[in-house]
Amino acid sequence: MSENKEEKKGFWSTLFAPKKKSSCCCGSQIEIVPENTDKEETPACSCATDNSGKKVIKVLGTGCSSCKALYSTVQDAVAQLGIDATVEKEENLEKIMAYNVMSLPALVVDGKVVAKGQKLSVEQVKALIV
């Protein structure tokens, strides 16, 4: 019986442990903060953070025609603006769900969702990524 109480205590202590919310290029994540840590802040995910000042633009979508069209539009907008940016297509549903997006295609600029569920023109994309 005491073992059962210890398991419950472990569950409850984990449930109510201090937590922090961190955000990175993979979307928002919640992690448990260990007590008595003096470590430097690091991203919760395993992605490499690029601090070179280059914009990271992602088109979230499953590969439908609207998603492909938005990806092409974003590439055109970046070329017309002449900015230093990486344009990526994200088709992994688990990574898309990390952004809490329910309608696709979606546009993410530097980790922030700026548009979802819309067909955007080149001019609209330019306004969103500048």
Side-chain angles (χ1 to χ4, degrees), residues 53-72:
K54 192 176 207 181
K55 281 192 180 285
V56 178
I57 303 168
K58 292 186 180 186
V59 177
L60 309 179
T62 57
C64 64
S65 60
S66 296
C67 301
K68 291 176 183 177
L70 180 59
Y71 182 73
S72 176

Side-chain angles (χ1 to χ4, degrees), residues 108-124:
V108 177
V109 178
D110 292 333
K112 183 179 177 187
V113 178
V114 295
K116 52 189 171 183
Q118 304 173 26
K119 286 187 178 181
L120 301 172
S121 68
V122 174
E123 296 304 318
Q124 289 173 319

